[in-house]
Amino acid sequence: MTEIRIVPTNEKYVAGFQRCVDVVARERKYLALVEGPSADGARGFVMALIEGAGVQVLALDEYDVVVGWCDIVINPKEGFRHGGQLGMGVLPSARGQGLGGRLAEAAIQRAWDIGLERVELEVFASNERAIALYRRLGFSVEGVKEQSRKIDGTYDDIIMMALQRTHGGT
């Protein structure tokens, strides 16, 4: 694969972001979604992030095609605004090259830069590669939701992880 650039989100990449989420969601194993958001839903989400609801970075190939994303959405509730929820995905064709780590590191740094102190995530227990990545980044397990997801007749636990800036965060 060619050189992949990590860039802050931009309105011009909304359609590419939507397509990327849809591809990963339809795999039915990495995201809570089983299909991507509508065009309006993706636009609303990205615009909210641009307007201050969180941060997002995108992975772009040499043709400016979105091949991955990582976002951290600030918790809007009083008493919880110091933290955000991380979500990410990478197209199958771009996996296995360290792109997930690059995306997460960039998004986490942006989260620290805007003053967040905590980043949380939920990951399926079956996604061992992602769990290993999050551990390498300094995330710790805070709990497990057993048999939380049942899709295509198969149960999967959800592992809740968090990274705190004051405890060795990126």
Side-chain angles (χ1 to χ4, degrees):
M1 178 164 268
T2 60
E3 182 64 26
I4 303 293
R5 295 175 292 125
I6 307 297
V7 301
T9 198
N10 181 301
E11 188 174 359
K12 72 180 179 178
Y13 298 119
V14 169
F17 165 68
Q18 179 208 15
R19 281 191 299 275
C20 189
V21 174
D22 188 60
V23 168
V24 176
R26 289 178 188 275
E27 290 180 274
R28 300 171 65 87
K29 57 185 184 178
Y30 301 116
L31 304 179
L33 306 171
V34 294
E35 62 183 39
S38 67
D40 287 342
R43 176 166 299 287
F45 178 73
V46 170
M47 294 311 295
L49 292 172
I50 290 170
E51 293 168 7
V55 298
Q56 184 181 64
V57 292
L58 304 172
L60 304 177
D61 71 9
E62 65 183 274
Y63 304 106
D64 271 359
V65 172
V66 177
V67 298
W69 80 93
C70 185
D71 44 57
I72 300 172
V73 179
I74 298 169
N75 189 327
K77 296 177 185 163
E78 181 70 32
F80 297 91
R81 293 184 188 127
H82 64 291
Q85 183 77 24
L86 183 144
M88 68 181 293
V90 175
L91 290 180
S93 62
R95 292 183 190 144
Q97 302 173 52
L99 189 53
R102 290 176 56 202
L103 282 163
E105 287 172 349
I108 291 165
Q109 186 57 58
R110 287 181 157 283
W112 296 161
D113 290 347
I114 65 167
L116 291 185
E117 301 170 28
R118 177 180 170 84
V119 176
E120 304 172 353
L121 62 85
E122 294 186 349
V123 58
F124 295 120
S126 60
N127 193 349
E128 295 173 1
R129 289 178 67 188
I131 294 166
L133 166 64
Y134 299 136
R135 286 187 188 280
R136 281 194 306 274
L137 292 171
F139 282 81
S140 59
V141 173
E142 293 191 330
V144 177
K145 297 178 185 178
E146 295 180 0
Q147 295 186 353
S148 187
R149 183 181 196 201
K150 183 178 180 183
I151 193 159
D152 301 327
T154 302
Y155 291 103
D156 205 345
D157 296 346
I158 291 178
I159 299 175
M160 299 171 292
M161 302 181 81
L163 176 68
Q164 297 186 53
R165 186 171 188 185
T166 57
H167 295 110
T170 307

